[in-house]
Amino acid sequence: NAGVMQNPRHLVRRRGQEARLRCSPMKGHSHVYWYRQLPEEGLKFMVYLQKENIIDESGMPKERFSAEFPKEGPSILRIQQVVRGDSAAYFCASSPPLTGGRYEQYFGPGTRLTVT
Amino acid sequence: DQQVKQNSPSLSVQEGRISILNCDYTNSMFDYFLWYKKYPAEGPTFLISISSIKDKNEDGRFTVFLNKSAKHLSLHIVPSQPGDSAVYFCAASAVRGAQKLVFGQGTRLTINP
C-alpha cells in the first residue's frame, strides 16, 4: 500500500514565479492536510481539505496561497508570486475517515521549495 | 502563541537506556495527542498516539504518558537503539473541532553507542 506521495521533492523558483506542489493521499484516505516547516521550527498547519471542499484554511496566508483537492487527481498547493520567505519544506498528510477514535495523519516526504 | 512546547531542543542517551521526551500544552481543548519521528529530508513518521480519556498507551518499546491536570505528556523509549536517533515532534489536536495538528518545536534525540 503506497504511502502519501508528493512531487516534486525539490523545487527552485525565482521571486515572482508560481510554485505548484502536488500531493496524492494514501489509498482509502479522503482527508488531506498541508503543513509548512520553516528552518529550525516545528510544522505549522496551513489547510485541511476533503474532496472538492476546503474544510479549514485558518493557517493559510491571506494572499498568494491557494489549495484544492479535486474530485479526480492529486491535491494541489499553489503559491503565486513567490518571495524568499516562502522557502520552506511543505508537507502533505492524509487520514482515513475520522472514525473509531483514532485520528492519526500520515505524512508524505515533503517538497522543499527554494526561492532565489 | 506556542500552544505545544517541547522545552528540550536536544537530548543525548546511551544505547540500551531509557529515553524520555517531554511535551507541555496550554490549550485545554486539546484531546488527542501524537508523537512523530522525523529523519532529515523525510516526512514525519507516526509513532504513537493517546486520547485524553487515557493516561497511558504502550506500543512495543514506545510508551506515551498523559497528565491532563499538568497538561503534560511524555514519550518513553526503552531500550533506546541507535536507529532511534532523530527529531521527535509532539502534536495535539482538538478532535471535536478542526482536525488540524498543532506541533511542538521538536527534540533532537541522539543515541550514543
Side-chain angles (χ1 to χ4, degrees):
Chain A
N1 190 11
V4 178
M5 300 180 70
Q6 289 188 250
N7 68 81
R9 293 292 307 274
H10 300 275
L11 182 62
V12 179
R13 285 286 178 266
R14 290 200 176 111
R15 278 180 298 170
Q17 291 184 319
E18 178 180 289
R20 282 188 180 235
L21 289 64
R22 293 174 183 77
C23 169
S24 296
M26 287 177 71
K27 188 176 181 181
H29 286 194
S30 54
H31 301 245
V32 166
Y33 313 80
W34 286 92
Y35 293 83
R36 174 165 68 174
Q37 184 183 26
L38 296 170
E40 305 304 321
E41 293 188 13
L43 284 74
K44 296 281 198 293
F45 169 80
M46 299 181 75
V47 63
Y48 162 36
L49 310 105
Q50 296 178 22
K51 287 281 188 183
E52 300 184 283
N53 278 306
I54 297 175
I55 307 301
D56 180 355
E57 56 181 347
S58 58
M60 288 278 270
K62 293 286 184 274
E63 297 177 348
R64 302 186 298 109
F65 285 71
S66 62
E68 62 176 5
F69 188 17
K71 188 176 180 181
E72 300 291 338
S75 175
I76 306 286
L77 179 67
R78 183 181 177 207
I79 312 172
Q80 295 179 289
Q81 298 176 318
V82 296
V83 302
R84 288 222 171 100
D86 297 332
S87 295
Y90 291 81
F91 293 98
C92 171
S94 71
S95 67
L98 301 175
T99 58
R102 296 190 59 150
Y103 305 96
E104 291 89 47
Q105 296 177 17
Y106 297 88
F107 284 81
T111 294
R112 274 142 194 89
L113 172 66
T114 302
V115 179
T116 61
Chain B
D1 178 23
Q2 192 71 30
Q3 298 183 69
V4 178
K5 293 183 182 180
Q6 293 176 255
N7 291 319
S8 298
S10 62
L11 176 67
S12 187
V13 173
Q14 204 74 17
E15 182 180 357
R17 306 293 290 266
I18 184 171
S19 295
I20 300 176
L21 297 101
N22 294 302
C23 178
D24 298 294
Y25 62 96
T26 57
N27 189 339
S28 56
M29 296 297 292
F30 289 148
D31 55 8
Y32 199 77
F33 304 89
L34 309 91
W35 284 95
Y36 286 86
K37 172 182 177 180
K38 187 179 181 303
Y39 294 119
E42 294 185 12
T45 301
F46 169 73
L47 280 176
I48 193 168
S49 61
I50 187 166
S51 164
S52 60
I53 62 173
K54 296 185 176 181
D55 53 20
K56 177 182 173 182
N57 189 24
E58 194 170 350
D59 184 0
R61 296 186 299 115
F62 303 94
T63 303
V64 56
F65 295 91
L66 175 62
N67 182 335
K68 288 186 290 294
S69 60
K71 293 191 176 69
H72 176 84
L73 64 156
S74 61
L75 174 69
H76 293 210
I77 307 173
V78 56
S80 300
Q81 300 174 353
D84 296 329
S85 295
V87 177
Y88 288 77
F89 289 98
C90 164
S93 71
V95 176
R96 285 180 289 276
Q99 276 71 48
K100 64 185 180 185
L101 296 180
V102 180
F103 282 84
Q105 311 96 304
T107 295
R108 183 177 304 277
L109 175 64
T110 302
I111 306 301
N112 301 309

